[in-house]
Amino acid sequence: MKIKKALAMLCTAALIGSLAGCGGSAEETKAPEKETEKATEAAKEETTGGSGEQETGGGSEAASGDTIYLGLSAKITGADAANGDRMVKAATMAVDEINANGGLLGGRKVELVIEDDQTDNAAALNVANLFIANDDICAVVGPWNSGQILAVEEAYETAGIPFMGLGTNPSLLELDNEYCFLVRANDTIMASAAANLIINEIGAKKVGIMYTTNEFGTGAMEIVKAACEAENIEVLPEAINLGDTDVTGQILELSTAGVDCMVVWASDAEYVITARQAYELGLDVEVVASPAVTMDQVRELCEPEWVEGWYSVTDFVSQQDDATVKEFCERYASDYGEGQNAELYVADVYSSVMLMADAIERAGSTDRAAIKDALAETKGFAMLQGVANCDDSNAFIHSAAVAQIKDYTPTMYKTVEAE
């Protein structure tokens, strides 16, 4: 079969153009019907030669021969190509490590089949249909965004292919799809961890919340607001519209009100605006943010003094004392060059491939249904971002890491378990 040489395809678009964000950006939650239909038909044409008939590869042993094939749906081009680059590097690193340690199922090598989902719902469905039509692929990692997961989950369920989605929208917990597995802490856990930090660590008395007016920002605002108000902490929500370039009015409102803590739950570009203008207006209070500020491509658009001391509730923090994390980050930098930091995209995808490999070993087979069952039975699997325990919603991670920015670097503060 033809395996994509993905590293040669990686986009070198300007960094700012890639700020579509995972750790702070809005995620689409609907797949346009017309685009979905077109993507399905396009995939059928490409994989069946226009016959309109499609094999699902749902037999007792989906992958044939000695090689075990895993699909990777990655955002190689499009609005978030920089993070797609990290996805491919992390998956490649994991597969190389698996093969160097003897492969799976008694020595069978693992190989990636990489396709570009372009951070687009219709393109993600097209990728799913390509994987579905390929009998050799036994399981899939990706796509990343919640909207893309919603666009593809029914197709994977119908075909009987287990896949790992990396979205965080809480609605994914309600899919009731036994073939869809979620490998990141969802937004409810993240926002709850932020509230716990504000209440139990910072001890704030009056909290301002700067949030984007989308499901991502509004949902977190409501969770933090409810938790704080239950503890008699005054809360002042201030909305940010996507694309806003001036939030001085909102910041002045918080400053005048005398808040002693500010929450920032926004998209990447709005993070930079908020950080700069809060600093310029002298709002010197504790700040608790969602994951974006830990990402190099966001933080590097900020002056160090704008974000010094900020807390971030996130998936993964590279700067910590854990020996396994240190060794992993060193290997990633060694493989891909100095300055290549193992951020949350890297940790999440690497861990997802390793978890999938563990499930294949426990299944004792590349049969898709057997792998699905093994994933559902996962308990106590150590991942870089936490211990994976599959629950009734097929979610693995139930805790969040809290980072603090020190000398321009996200450093580990503590781990917060979901309540």
Side-chain angles (χ1 to χ4, degrees):
M1 72 189 304
K2 183 177 179 181
I3 306 301
K4 300 287 183 182
K5 301 300 183 180
L7 294 179
M9 297 169 57
L10 295 175
C11 178
T12 56
L15 184 61
I16 294 175
S18 70
L19 293 182
C22 79
S25 297
E27 292 185 326
E28 295 294 331
T29 58
K30 300 290 183 183
E33 291 184 7
K34 290 184 178 179
E35 289 187 355
T36 298
E37 292 170 2
K38 289 178 181 177
T40 303
E41 292 305 315
K44 288 180 179 178
E45 289 292 329
E46 183 165 345
T47 58
T48 67
S51 68
E53 298 179 358
Q54 200 170 342
E55 294 296 327
T56 65
S60 61
E61 190 70 11
S64 61
D66 291 333
T67 301
I68 297 171
Y69 293 102
L70 296 179
L72 177 68
S73 177
K75 45 182 84 175
I76 296 170
T77 62
D80 203 14
N83 286 325
D85 174 88
R86 294 181 177 92
M87 291 179 70
V88 172
K89 287 175 177 174
T92 302
M93 181 177 170
V95 167
D96 287 348
E97 183 177 326
I98 291 165
N99 290 335
N101 289 328
L104 300 176
L105 302 178
R108 294 171 66 179
K109 297 297 184 182
V110 179
E111 192 163 344
L112 291 171
V113 181
I114 303 172
E115 293 287 352
D116 181 10
D117 61 41
Q118 304 170 34
T119 321
D120 177 81
N121 291 351
L125 183 59
N126 185 44
V127 168
N129 280 303
L130 291 173
F131 288 157
I132 288 166
N134 188 333
D135 290 353
D136 287 330
I137 294 174
C138 63
V140 175
V141 173
W144 188 280
N145 294 56
S146 297
Q148 293 174 286
I149 295 169
L150 291 171
V152 305
E153 57 92 11
E154 185 176 353
Y156 281 128
E157 182 180 33
T158 300
I161 299 181
F163 80 103
M164 290 185 170
L166 293 107
T168 59
N169 193 292
S171 66
L172 299 174
L173 299 173
E174 302 170 4
L175 288 178
D176 192 26
N177 181 341
E178 63 180 347
Y179 283 88
C180 175
F181 295 88
L182 305 171
V183 287
R184 297 180 65 201
N186 66 69
D187 293 339
T188 298
I189 292 173
M190 292 291 190
S192 296
N196 286 340
L197 184 69
I198 292 164
I199 295 165
N200 299 317
E201 299 285 332
I202 295 173
K205 302 301 181 184
K206 186 179 290 188
V207 177
I209 306 178
M210 299 284 286
Y211 69 99
T212 44
T213 54
N214 52 23
E215 191 171 1
F216 174 76
T218 301
M221 180 275 292
E222 291 172 347
I223 290 169
V224 173
K225 182 174 183 288
C228 288
E229 289 181 343
E231 299 293 328
N232 296 315
I233 299 170
E234 186 177 350
V235 178
L236 290 83
E238 292 288 342
I240 308 171
N241 294 315
L242 291 172
D244 277 356
T245 57
D246 185 357
V247 295
T248 54
Q250 296 95 314
I251 293 170
L252 287 171
E253 288 282 347
L254 299 183
S255 181
T256 301
V259 301
D260 55 359
C261 178
M262 179 173 68
V263 175
V264 184
W265 221 269
S267 300
D268 293 357
E270 287 73 38
Y271 258 104
V272 178
I273 296 296
T274 301
R276 176 173 64 83
Q277 294 183 342
Y279 178 81
E280 291 172 348
L281 293 170
L283 185 61
D284 186 16
V285 298
E286 300 281 15
V287 178
V288 178
S290 59
V293 74
T294 68
M295 301 294 288
D296 287 352
Q297 70 266 31
V298 174
R299 200 172 58 262
E300 289 172 357
L301 295 176
C302 300
E303 293 298 326
E305 59 269 24
W306 299 355
V307 295
E308 180 66 19
W310 280 31
Y311 296 96
S312 172
V313 182
T314 186
D315 301 48
F316 171 76
V317 183
S318 61
Q319 297 296 316
Q320 55 178 286
D321 292 333
D322 185 272
T324 300
V325 171
K326 282 185 174 180
E327 191 270 339
F328 167 76
C329 293
E330 288 170 0
R331 281 192 292 116
Y332 184 78
S334 175
D335 285 352
Y336 296 110
E338 288 298 322
Q340 292 287 325
N341 296 323
E343 297 173 327
L344 68 88
Y345 272 82
V346 175
D348 287 342
V349 173
Y350 173 89
S351 290
S352 296
V353 174
M354 287 300 192
L355 176 54
M356 190 69 83
D358 176 72
I360 292 170
E361 280 289 334
R362 286 186 284 116
S365 167
T366 54
D367 175 68
R368 293 166 173 177
I371 296 169
K372 177 262 297 181
D373 290 341
L375 286 169
E377 294 165 1
T378 298
K379 299 295 179 188
F381 182 80
M383 306 206 332
L384 292 167
Q385 64 272 47
V387 177
N389 293 295
C390 193
D391 65 14
D392 292 341
S393 299
N394 278 2
F396 288 108
I397 298 296
H398 311 283
S399 63
V402 178
Q404 187 174 26
I405 308 300
K406 294 182 178 180
D407 298 326
Y408 209 36
T409 302
T411 58
M412 188 68 178
Y413 181 74
K414 69 180 302 182
T415 297
V416 179
E417 299 291 332
E419 295 184 350

